[in-house]
Amino acid sequence: MSSERPVIIIRRKKRGGGGHHGGAWKIAFADFMTALMALFLVLWMLANSGEAQKAAVAEYFRTPLVVALMGGDREGANENVIPGGGSDPAFAEGERFRIDPQLASRLVDEQERARLKQLERRIREALSINPILKELKDQILIDLTPEGLRIQLVDTEQRPMFEIGSAKVAPYMRTLLRTLAPMLNELPNRIQISGHTDSLPYAGGETGYSNWELSADRANASRRELIAGGLALEKLLRTSGMSDRIPFKGSAPNDAANRRIAVIVLDSRFADSILEQREYGPLPGTGDRPATDGAARVGTGPEAAKP
């Protein structure tokens, strides 16, 4: 009989509590918080962006996914059925105008301003070449205004543009106007001419021949010289006499600088606004009047017969 005793193995099942559920929820919560933070960051950036940046972001989200993945520029949205036809330029232009409705208007304004500035350079070059007109450079003022390109021909005591008290054009004024005429034809823009005087009145006052008639007559005399120099008849839109109502900037009422002619190459939209007045009556303006020489004026000394 063996003296070794058998080994007895007892297995006992352990009973625990609820146990561990894992950390998957923490990952999901972290993803949620990251996405939420990204959303708030995007909203903050949009709130501090300008209109151009907002339009670019909007256009990005309007781009089809397939186009974005291919790195294209809306070619996937092209309606051209021929492969390799490319994008439609009219479609792209329409997209830009749709994003910014005022873009087309601003583009037209910029193009017209550029043409007017080019005309200004041409006029200045022509004036610098002609020896007669070169002496008048201080009396020829050119600037861009909301109405268009304004060319002012201003009197001085030593060199008046018209004879005293009349609308008879001085020889150098005639040369100047006839030099300008062909250059004014280079653009399709309409032309406006206005005459201005100083404040010295005629002896008869406002009831007789006055600064109103004189300024209108001088504007019409300038118109005739421009036409004689080759100005196209259909380009002239309006002539007017302003008397002394719009004094030259920085001048006293009786200064010679107030006696001037303003030739304006009108901005097309401003010209259209004048044409629209036809619905309510005739266009403002003046007809030809006979020039009057040597009318007596109120005053003393040489200015008694003020030009």
Side-chain angles (χ1 to χ4, degrees):
M1 175 180 286
S2 174
S3 59
E4 294 182 1
R5 304 180 65 179
V7 178
I8 300 174
I9 299 174
I10 301 174
R11 295 180 179 180
R12 293 188 176 88
K13 292 182 180 181
K14 295 182 178 180
R15 296 180 181 180
H20 189 269
H21 293 288
W25 66 275
K26 296 179 182 179
I27 298 176
F29 182 73
D31 290 343
F32 171 74
M33 294 301 294
T34 302
L36 196 60
M37 184 176 178
L39 173 63
F40 287 144
L41 183 60
V42 170
L43 294 177
W44 176 81
M45 292 177 63
L46 288 176
N48 291 276
S49 300
E51 293 299 324
Q53 288 83 1
K54 291 179 181 178
V57 172
E59 176 63 15
Y60 171 80
F61 284 107
R62 277 195 289 265
T63 303
L65 179 59
V66 64
V67 178
L69 293 176
M70 294 173 61
D73 54 352
R74 301 190 67 91
E75 280 142 359
N78 185 18
E79 296 179 357
N80 194 335
V81 296
I82 302 176
S87 59
D88 185 355
F91 177 80
E93 192 78 4
E95 277 294 300
R96 290 196 293 273
F97 292 160
R98 181 172 61 82
I99 295 171
D100 187 354
Q102 296 181 345
L103 180 60
S105 177
R106 289 200 301 269
L107 183 60
V108 171
D109 289 345
E110 291 173 0
Q111 291 174 344
E112 183 149 30
R113 288 283 160 172
R115 288 194 296 267
L116 292 176
K117 288 181 179 179
Q118 177 64 24
L119 177 60
E120 178 183 356
R121 287 191 291 270
R122 289 268 295 108
I123 293 174
R124 292 188 185 278
E125 290 173 0
L127 296 179
S128 64
I129 295 173
N130 191 311
I132 298 176
L133 302 180
K134 200 171 183 179
E135 297 180 0
L136 301 174
K137 62 179 182 179
D138 295 334
Q139 294 177 246
I140 304 170
L141 308 177
I142 308 175
D143 60 344
L144 275 174
T145 71
E147 295 179 352
L149 182 66
R150 180 175 61 182
I151 308 164
Q152 295 189 93
L153 316 175
V154 182
D155 265 15
T156 63
E157 298 294 349
Q158 296 76 24
R159 193 185 285 112
M161 296 290 184
F162 296 87
E163 291 189 5
I164 293 176
S166 79
K168 188 173 181 180
V169 181
Y172 41 81
M173 175 70 162
R174 179 178 297 109
T175 301
L176 173 58
L177 291 171
R178 295 190 181 193
T179 301
L180 287 176
M183 290 184 285
L184 297 179
N185 285 334
E186 294 177 2
L187 295 182
N189 301 60
R190 301 295 187 95
I191 305 297
Q192 170 183 294
I193 307 171
S194 59
H196 302 263
T197 68
D198 59 21
S199 295
L200 282 175
Y202 276 92
E206 296 290 324
T207 58
Y209 190 92
S210 67
N211 284 328
W212 288 106
E213 285 78 15
L214 180 62
S215 60
D217 288 346
R218 288 181 170 179
N220 272 302
S222 301
R223 173 185 60 82
R224 288 190 289 269
E225 293 299 336
L226 286 171
I227 292 174
L231 179 69
L233 296 177
E234 65 276 7
K235 291 181 66 64
L236 187 67
L237 183 59
R238 178 167 67 180
T239 63
S240 59
M242 305 302 296
S243 185
D244 61 346
R245 292 301 186 265
I246 308 177
F248 190 78
K249 184 177 180 181
S251 64
N254 295 334
D255 283 354
N258 291 316
R259 304 191 295 266
R260 66 196 191 278
I261 294 295
V263 179
I264 302 179
V265 183
L266 293 171
D267 178 275
S268 58
R269 291 194 298 182
F270 190 84
D272 291 341
S273 69
I274 296 176
L275 291 170
E276 289 172 1
Q277 297 175 20
R278 290 181 176 175
E279 300 177 5
Y280 309 101
L283 288 174
T286 57
D288 287 349
R289 300 175 184 274
T292 303
D293 293 328
R297 311 298 295 271
V298 175
T300 58
E303 289 296 317
K306 185 209 71 166

